[in-house]
Amino acid sequence: MQVAYLGPRGSFTHQVAQQAFPSADLQAFGTITEVIKAYETGQVVYSVIPVENSIEGSVHETIDYLFHQAEIHAVAEIVQPIAQQLLAMGADKAIEVIYSHPQAIAQGKKYILEHFPHARIEVTASTAYAARYVAEHPAQPYAAIAPQAAAEEYGLMVIGQDIQEMSENFTRFWILGNEVPEIGLQKVTKKVSLALTLPDNLPGALYKAMSVFSWRGISLTKIESRPLKTALGEYFFILDLENQSEDLLSYSLEELTSLEISCKILGNYQVYLAS
């Protein structure tokens, strides 16, 4: 079985893919969009992508592609604890350039400003790509923000340990596919993620949409707006809801339709906790 992930090896997405599919043929791709397209075009059976970090919020590349360009559902979610390390070839040289993914850079910016205020920051497609790049240029004054697994994968030294600003740092990863996979991790809860587009001529449309779930006792765990990319000031809304009853969810979606509120299901999934 082929499974796509945001690579290269040693990324957090790679760690999640290994835990979810320990016997699968894991295939690395360079961007989140490429990972999604690998499933969309039938190259793989599942794709593993990051969707939200507890510090930096939603991964917009994931949300926007699934809303605007794809008819793909998340069939499972894995929550991975995140610890960011500063990696280099050694601790004996000044660091002039630090490479990493934008989310990792944001998570470690306080540490960087305190310890390497003059270092230039360069953005890469993933944390593991940054680590691999540093390893490929051993003579240069480079460092990368990446997981411990990347240090082991590419022979780098940890020169700054657990540099993320908050200890409670987690990332949600979605597994995209047609069928619910068998995952040997701890189950946490069951959720559904929706994208709502509100009609212009319905006063209090967002309030009415929320009421559909509220009076049925369905707990809202997240709401966020994203641009519709049609005109300034037009948005769609991402909702995450606890899904303890498929019947109640079905009735809710029917009521949304009666209110002429457009609803796209991004995922209906079991949530697992990674180690």
Side-chain angles (χ1 to χ4, degrees), residues 130-165:
R132 188 177 70 179
Y133 185 82
V134 170
E136 290 172 347
H137 298 81
Q140 299 299 321
Y142 295 164
I145 303 172
Q148 177 70 42
E152 298 164 1
E153 183 74 30
Y154 300 108
L156 298 175
M157 177 183 292
V158 176
I159 63 171
Q161 190 170 22
D162 296 343
I163 70 169
Q164 67 275 5
E165 291 185 27

